[in-house]
Amino acid sequence: MNTATADGIVVLGMYPFPHVRPATEQLWSAVRGHLGFGPAAITDGDLHGLWTRPDLLLGQTCGWPLVTALPDVTVVGAFELTIGEAEGTGYHSVLIGSRQADLHALAAEGPVAANAPDSLSGWISLCSALGDVPTNVTWTGAHVASLRAVANGSCSLASIDSLTFELVLEAEPELAAAVHRVGEGPLVPTLPLIVGSNFAERLGDLRAAIAAAVADPKLADALRTLRVRAFRPLERADYLPLLSLAHPSLR
């Protein structure tokens, strides 16, 4: 086992905004300090491939891939967020339209924009809010791309991760101002933090290190940037109800 593998990899790239990257790095540095080991740098790359690596020391994924495609990872917990759409360790996605109108009218105009078929906030939540699966869909590849598609009128409706929407409000207020909030998605757990099989036995240490970092006053500015209020240990079982949330054709 080489040094890099022994230290594992850390994957915290679910909100890849340049203005929040330093805060993400500060958070990991604080967690690493409390943990006593781990890589100095966060690993970037294809998230789906990185999530499946057994040497994943700490990662953040989406709730839908967790319950449908990542059977070998262990859930560490999740963050409570300070955004208005958050309730404890749950949150609602933001439904946006090209104009102020009923969700079903917007969906009928189409196409709707969605970042990916395995996105909880971008696709599963949208279908849940509509009670149906839209057939006229533009797959955009990213929440911000979905925002742009609705803003420029090429798509009529989208469901956006609410923390992403908050960060866009901060980074590109003119983009957020070009769309209309027309509803919200169902309450779902915030993004799970996970650990791969090589480090699953360090679950207790990871939870303690994250909790200590989030409680550290020196990290207050970084946590404010990340909209993190607290860390809560969670289990895979806390995410399994998502399977019944999805439209039957998507399970």
Short mmCIF file of all heavy atoms in Angstrom, two decimals, residues 172-201:
data_model
loop_
_atom_site.label_atom_id
_atom_site.label_comp_id
_atom_site.label_asym_id
_atom_site.label_seq_id
_atom_site.Cartn_x
_atom_site.Cartn_y
_atom_site.Cartn_z
N GLU A 172 -23.81 34.87 -9.11
CA GLU A 172 -24.39 35.41 -10.35
C GLU A 172 -25.82 35.87 -10.09
O GLU A 172 -26.78 35.24 -10.56
CB GLU A 172 -24.37 34.35 -11.45
CG GLU A 172 -23.00 33.87 -11.88
CD GLU A 172 -23.07 32.91 -13.04
OE1 GLU A 172 -23.50 33.33 -14.13
OE2 GLU A 172 -22.70 31.74 -12.86
N PRO A 173 -26.00 36.94 -9.35
CA PRO A 173 -27.36 37.38 -9.00
C PRO A 173 -28.23 37.66 -10.21
O PRO A 173 -29.45 37.46 -10.16
CB PRO A 173 -27.13 38.64 -8.15
CG PRO A 173 -25.73 39.06 -8.45
CD PRO A 173 -24.97 37.82 -8.77
N GLU A 174 -27.62 38.09 -11.31
CA GLU A 174 -28.42 38.38 -12.50
C GLU A 174 -29.02 37.12 -13.10
O GLU A 174 -30.11 37.14 -13.67
CB GLU A 174 -27.57 39.13 -13.54
CG GLU A 174 -26.47 38.31 -14.21
CD GLU A 174 -25.25 38.04 -13.33
OE1 GLU A 174 -25.17 38.61 -12.22
OE2 GLU A 174 -24.39 37.25 -13.76
N LEU A 175 -28.33 35.98 -12.95
CA LEU A 175 -28.86 34.71 -13.44
C LEU A 175 -30.04 34.28 -12.58
O LEU A 175 -31.10 33.89 -13.11
CB LEU A 175 -27.77 33.64 -13.43
CG LEU A 175 -28.20 32.21 -13.79
CD1 LEU A 175 -28.83 32.17 -15.17
CD2 LEU A 175 -27.01 31.26 -13.71
N ALA A 176 -29.88 34.34 -11.27
CA ALA A 176 -30.99 33.97 -10.38
C ALA A 176 -32.18 34.88 -10.58
O ALA A 176 -33.34 34.45 -10.47
CB ALA A 176 -30.51 34.01 -8.94
N ALA A 177 -31.95 36.15 -10.89
CA ALA A 177 -33.04 37.11 -11.07
C ALA A 177 -33.80 36.88 -12.37
O ALA A 177 -34.92 37.39 -12.54
CB ALA A 177 -32.49 38.53 -11.03
N ALA A 178 -33.22 36.12 -13.30
CA ALA A 178 -33.84 35.90 -14.61
C ALA A 178 -34.84 34.75 -14.61
O ALA A 178 -35.47 34.48 -15.63
CB ALA A 178 -32.76 35.64 -15.65
N VAL A 179 -35.00 34.07 -13.47
CA VAL A 179 -35.96 32.96 -13.37
C VAL A 179 -36.99 33.27 -12.28
O VAL A 179 -36.81 34.19 -11.48
CB VAL A 179 -35.26 31.62 -13.08
CG1 VAL A 179 -34.25 31.29 -14.17
CG2 VAL A 179 -34.56 31.65 -11.72
N HIS A 180 -38.06 32.50 -12.26
CA HIS A 180 -39.14 32.69 -11.30
C HIS A 180 -39.24 31.47 -10.39
O HIS A 180 -39.29 30.33 -10.88
CB HIS A 180 -40.47 32.90 -12.04
CG HIS A 180 -40.46 34.07 -12.96
ND1 HIS A 180 -40.87 35.34 -12.58
CD2 HIS A 180 -40.05 34.18 -14.26
CE1 HIS A 180 -40.74 36.16 -13.59
NE2 HIS A 180 -40.25 35.49 -14.63
N ARG A 181 -39.30 31.70 -9.09
CA ARG A 181 -39.53 30.60 -8.15
C ARG A 181 -41.00 30.24 -8.21
O ARG A 181 -41.87 31.06 -7.95
CB ARG A 181 -39.13 31.01 -6.73
CG ARG A 181 -37.64 31.23 -6.55
CD ARG A 181 -37.28 31.58 -5.14
NE ARG A 181 -37.52 30.46 -4.24
CZ ARG A 181 -36.70 30.08 -3.26
NH1 ARG A 181 -35.57 30.75 -3.05
NH2 ARG A 181 -36.97 29.07 -2.50
N VAL A 182 -41.30 28.98 -8.56
CA VAL A 182 -42.69 28.58 -8.76
C VAL A 182 -43.11 27.44 -7.82
O VAL A 182 -44.24 26.94 -7.91
CB VAL A 182 -42.93 28.16 -10.23
CG1 VAL A 182 -42.75 29.36 -11.16
CG2 VAL A 182 -42.01 27.02 -10.64
N GLY A 183 -42.24 27.01 -6.94
CA GLY A 183 -42.60 25.94 -6.01
C GLY A 183 -41.37 25.36 -5.35
O GLY A 183 -40.26 25.91 -5.45
N GLU A 184 -41.57 24.24 -4.68
CA GLU A 184 -40.46 23.55 -4.05
C GLU A 184 -40.67 22.05 -4.13
O GLU A 184 -41.80 21.56 -4.28
CB GLU A 184 -40.30 23.98 -2.58
CG GLU A 184 -41.47 23.64 -1.69
CD GLU A 184 -41.25 24.11 -0.25
OE1 GLU A 184 -40.43 25.02 -0.03
OE2 GLU A 184 -41.91 23.56 0.65
N GLY A 185 -39.57 21.33 -4.05
CA GLY A 185 -39.63 19.88 -4.08
C GLY A 185 -39.95 19.32 -2.72
O GLY A 185 -40.08 20.05 -1.73
N PRO A 186 -40.08 18.00 -2.61
CA PRO A 186 -40.35 17.36 -1.32
C PRO A 186 -39.18 17.50 -0.37
O PRO A 186 -38.04 17.73 -0.80
CB PRO A 186 -40.59 15.90 -1.70
CG PRO A 186 -39.79 15.71 -2.95
CD PRO A 186 -39.89 17.01 -3.69
N LEU A 187 -39.44 17.36 0.91
CA LEU A 187 -38.37 17.40 1.91
C LEU A 187 -37.56 16.11 1.81
O LEU A 187 -38.10 15.01 1.94
CB LEU A 187 -38.95 17.54 3.31
CG LEU A 187 -37.94 17.66 4.45
CD1 LEU A 187 -37.17 18.98 4.35
CD2 LEU A 187 -38.65 17.55 5.80
N VAL A 188 -36.26 16.26 1.56
CA VAL A 188 -35.37 15.10 1.44
C VAL A 188 -34.12 15.35 2.29
O VAL A 188 -33.81 16.49 2.62
CB VAL A 188 -34.95 14.86 -0.03
CG1 VAL A 188 -36.18 14.57 -0.90
CG2 VAL A 188 -34.17 16.05 -0.60
N PRO A 189 -33.40 14.30 2.67
CA PRO A 189 -32.18 14.52 3.46
C PRO A 189 -31.14 15.29 2.66
O PRO A 189 -31.04 15.14 1.44
CB PRO A 189 -31.69 13.09 3.75
CG PRO A 189 -32.86 12.20 3.51
CD PRO A 189 -33.67 12.88 2.45
N THR A 190 -30.36 16.12 3.35
CA THR A 190 -29.26 16.81 2.68
C THR A 190 -28.22 15.80 2.22
O THR A 190 -28.27 14.62 2.57
CB THR A 190 -28.62 17.86 3.60
OG1 THR A 190 -28.19 17.22 4.81
CG2 THR A 190 -29.60 18.97 3.94
N LEU A 191 -27.28 16.26 1.42
CA LEU A 191 -26.33 15.36 0.78
C LEU A 191 -25.56 14.53 1.81
O LEU A 191 -25.01 15.08 2.76
CB LEU A 191 -25.34 16.15 -0.08
CG LEU A 191 -25.80 16.47 -1.51
CD1 LEU A 191 -27.07 17.28 -1.53
CD2 LEU A 191 -24.70 17.17 -2.27
N PRO A 192 -25.50 13.21 1.62
CA PRO A 192 -24.80 12.36 2.58
C PRO A 192 -23.29 12.43 2.45
O PRO A 192 -22.74 12.48 1.34
CB PRO A 192 -25.31 10.95 2.23
CG PRO A 192 -25.66 11.04 0.78
CD PRO A 192 -26.17 12.44 0.56
N LEU A 193 -22.62 12.43 3.59
CA LEU A 193 -21.18 12.22 3.64
C LEU A 193 -20.96 10.72 3.75
O LEU A 193 -21.66 10.03 4.51
CB LEU A 193 -20.57 12.93 4.84
CG LEU A 193 -20.68 14.47 4.81
CD1 LEU A 193 -20.36 15.04 6.18
CD2 LEU A 193 -19.77 15.06 3.75
N ILE A 194 -20.00 10.18 3.00
CA ILE A 194 -19.81 8.73 2.92
C ILE A 194 -18.34 8.37 3.10
O ILE A 194 -17.45 9.21 2.92
CB ILE A 194 -20.32 8.17 1.58
CG1 ILE A 194 -19.62 8.86 0.39
CG2 ILE A 194 -21.84 8.31 1.48
CD1 ILE A 194 -19.96 8.26 -0.97
N VAL A 195 -18.11 7.10 3.42
CA VAL A 195 -16.76 6.57 3.55
C VAL A 195 -16.71 5.22 2.83
O VAL A 195 -17.68 4.45 2.85
CB VAL A 195 -16.35 6.43 5.04
CG1 VAL A 195 -17.28 5.51 5.80
CG2 VAL A 195 -14.92 5.93 5.18
N GLY A 196 -15.58 4.94 2.17
CA GLY A 196 -15.42 3.69 1.45
C GLY A 196 -15.05 2.53 2.36
O GLY A 196 -14.78 2.71 3.56
N SER A 197 -15.04 1.34 1.81
CA SER A 197 -14.88 0.12 2.60
C SER A 197 -13.54 0.05 3.34
O SER A 197 -13.46 -0.51 4.43
CB SER A 197 -15.05 -1.11 1.71
OG SER A 197 -14.13 -1.10 0.63
N ASN A 198 -12.49 0.65 2.76
CA ASN A 198 -11.17 0.57 3.42
C ASN A 198 -11.14 1.29 4.76
O ASN A 198 -10.32 0.97 5.62
CB ASN A 198 -10.09 1.18 2.52
CG ASN A 198 -9.69 0.28 1.37
OD1 ASN A 198 -10.31 -0.76 1.15
ND2 ASN A 198 -8.67 0.68 0.63
N PHE A 199 -12.02 2.29 4.92
CA PHE A 199 -11.99 3.12 6.13
C PHE A 199 -13.29 3.05 6.92
O PHE A 199 -13.49 3.85 7.83
CB PHE A 199 -11.68 4.58 5.76
CG PHE A 199 -10.33 4.78 5.16
CD1 PHE A 199 -10.19 4.95 3.79
CD2 PHE A 199 -9.20 4.78 5.95
CE1 PHE A 199 -8.94 5.13 3.22
CE2 PHE A 199 -7.94 4.95 5.40
CZ PHE A 199 -7.81 5.12 4.03
N ALA A 200 -14.14 2.09 6.60
CA ALA A 200 -15.43 2.01 7.29
C ALA A 200 -15.27 1.80 8.79
O ALA A 200 -16.10 2.25 9.59
CB ALA A 200 -16.28 0.88 6.68
N GLU A 201 -14.18 1.15 9.18
CA GLU A 201 -13.96 0.91 10.62
C GLU A 201 -13.58 2.19 11.36
O GLU A 201 -13.58 2.23 12.59
CB GLU A 201 -12.89 -0.16 10.82
CG GLU A 201 -11.46 0.29 10.58
CD GLU A 201 -11.08 0.30 9.10
OE1 GLU A 201 -11.94 -0.03 8.25
OE2 GLU A 201 -9.91 0.64 8.80
#
